[in-house]
Amino acid sequence: MTVTHPEVTRYFMTIPEAAQLVLQAGAMGKGGEVYLLDMGEPIKILDLAKDLISLSGLVLGEDIDIKFIGLRPGEKLHEKLIAEKESLATTHHPKIFEVNSSPIKWDMLKADIEDFLTKVNNRDRGAILQMLQKIVPDYHPDKKVTEVQDVYF
């Protein structure tokens, strides 16, 4: 069995619970709100893998091994549900939160996107990364992304 990293965690919900909360959040919305569902505590993928092995009647280290294959480019150890400058507000539902963030000025965003597309068309890798960081302030490319020499479009 392969696992990306021994410390990686992810959130999980059952499909019925997620569907019910999405429908309820949709009914709450008046237009433009962003909601975050309470998904409980993140689960360590290694623990999940060990549980699946055990529940399958196998013995870890005897019948099956776990191989760590490393995180893929852009993959994070832990999911981040809101950005640094965002906050959560309660709603009338205990498992649905409204995300508060700074409003986006459409004219500025449109200009940034046009500038970004120009840089993409010019294949200016460094400028592309700078524009991504300007448009998405929480985007921090990892070393693998910043060291790539060739960009293919």
Side-chain angles (χ1 to χ4, degrees):
M1 177 178 286
T2 60
V3 172
T4 55
H5 189 282
E7 296 301 317
V8 75
T9 60
R10 294 292 179 260
Y11 290 91
F12 289 92
M13 291 183 86
T14 65
I15 293 171
E17 181 182 19
Q20 180 183 32
L21 289 174
V22 167
L23 290 172
Q24 290 177 355
M28 291 168 46
K30 295 174 187 70
E33 298 88 358
V34 175
Y35 293 107
L36 177 71
L37 309 179
D38 181 352
M39 295 179 279
E41 294 299 315
I43 296 174
K44 199 170 183 180
I45 298 299
L46 179 58
D47 292 343
L48 179 62
K50 289 176 180 178
D51 289 346
L52 287 172
I53 290 169
S54 177
L55 290 169
S56 297
L58 301 173
V59 177
L60 180 62
E62 291 179 21
D63 302 315
I64 190 168
D65 291 318
I66 294 176
K67 178 181 176 187
F68 298 106
I69 59 173
L71 296 173
R72 293 171 289 209
E75 187 175 12
K76 297 181 178 182
L77 280 178
H78 310 289
E79 292 175 303
K80 189 174 175 184
L81 301 179
I82 60 172
E84 291 172 13
K85 294 183 180 178
E86 294 177 325
S87 63
L88 297 178
T90 59
T91 66
H92 68 271
H93 194 290
K95 294 191 125 225
I96 301 174
F97 299 91
E98 186 171 347
V99 179
N100 295 316
S101 59
S102 301
I104 297 172
K105 295 179 181 166
W106 173 245
D107 291 342
M108 290 177 60
L109 179 60
K110 184 178 178 189
D112 284 344
I113 291 172
E114 289 170 359
D115 190 21
F116 174 76
L117 292 175
T118 299
K119 290 172 178 19
V120 168
N121 288 332
N122 293 336
R123 300 174 189 235
D124 186 342
R125 201 179 134 283
I128 290 169
L129 287 174
Q130 286 178 340
M131 282 305 300
L132 279 173
Q133 289 175 299
K134 180 180 179 189
I135 295 169
V136 185
D138 289 341
Y139 172 69
H140 305 287
D142 64 16
K143 191 175 181 181
K144 290 179 186 177
V145 171
T146 57
E147 289 178 349
V148 172
Q149 297 301 314
D150 296 321
V151 177
Y152 301 98
F153 296 94

